[in-house]
């Protein structure tokens, strides 16, 4: 059974930083692409970033240059470093297995990020 457990969210001021983590189990983490998704209040699920099994990374334009995705295959853990946070980054952040249509990806329960002064 695939399990994805996110952590690391919280409340920060604009310009602050957070590091999200996602511990994966139930599948071969090292050979799978992984993604981060987010959903802001009242909005749809949005793709944020992905990393494939060759460590090739991609980002949504809205976070490029501010967020960094990475993974530690030895720990079965996916990370998302969030820097220079803005109020519009406020959302529930989800770790997801695979690439593609966000609504079709298997994801965890999420971790809340709130950016507010």
């Amino acid at each position: 059974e695939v399990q994805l457990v996110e952590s690391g969210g919280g409340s920060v001021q604009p310009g602050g930083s957070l590091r999200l983590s996602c511990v994966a189990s139930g599948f071969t983490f090292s050979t799978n692409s992984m993604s981060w998704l987010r959903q802001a209040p009242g909005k749809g699920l949005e793709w944020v970033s992905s990393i494939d099994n060759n460590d090739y990374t991609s980002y949504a334009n809205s976070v490029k240059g501010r967020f960094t995705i990475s993974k530690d295959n030895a720990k079965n853990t996916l990370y998302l470093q969030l820097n220079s946070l803005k109020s519009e980054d406020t959302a529930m952040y989800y770790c997801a297995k695979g690439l593609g249509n966000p609504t079709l990806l298997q994801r965890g329960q999420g971790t809340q990020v709130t950016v507010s002064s």
Side-chain angles (χ1 to χ4, degrees):
E1 177 188 2
V2 172
Q3 288 195 330
L4 301 165
V5 180
E6 303 94 334
S7 63
S11 294
V12 297
Q13 293 185 340
S17 297
L18 286 171
R19 189 194 197 200
L20 309 184
S21 299
C22 169
V23 178
S25 62
F27 64 101
T28 306
F29 181 77
S30 61
T31 61
N32 275 268
S33 300
M34 297 293 294
S35 299
W36 284 100
L37 314 174
R38 68 184 181 184
Q39 187 164 25
K43 296 190 177 181
L45 198 58
E46 175 190 21
W47 171 75
V48 175
S49 180
S50 293
I51 184 167
D52 71 10
N53 58 322
N54 292 311
D55 287 344
Y56 177 81
T57 59
S58 55
Y59 299 92
N61 287 335
S62 59
V63 307
K64 197 172 294 183
R66 300 188 298 119
F67 291 7
T68 303
I69 191 171
S70 62
K71 61 187 179 77
D72 185 333
N73 290 332
K75 296 182 178 180
N76 280 7
T77 302
L78 179 72
Y79 301 101
L80 187 68
Q81 178 69 40
L82 289 65
N83 295 331
S84 302
L85 282 161
K86 305 175 182 180
S87 57
E88 52 262 45
D89 294 318
T90 294
M92 184 72 76
Y93 283 72
Y94 299 94
C95 163
K97 177 178 175 288
L99 303 173
N101 187 330
T103 62
L104 300 179
L105 299 180
Q106 191 165 7
R107 61 183 188 266
Q109 84 290 344
T111 187
Q112 177 69 38
V113 172
T114 302
V115 185
S116 174
S117 55

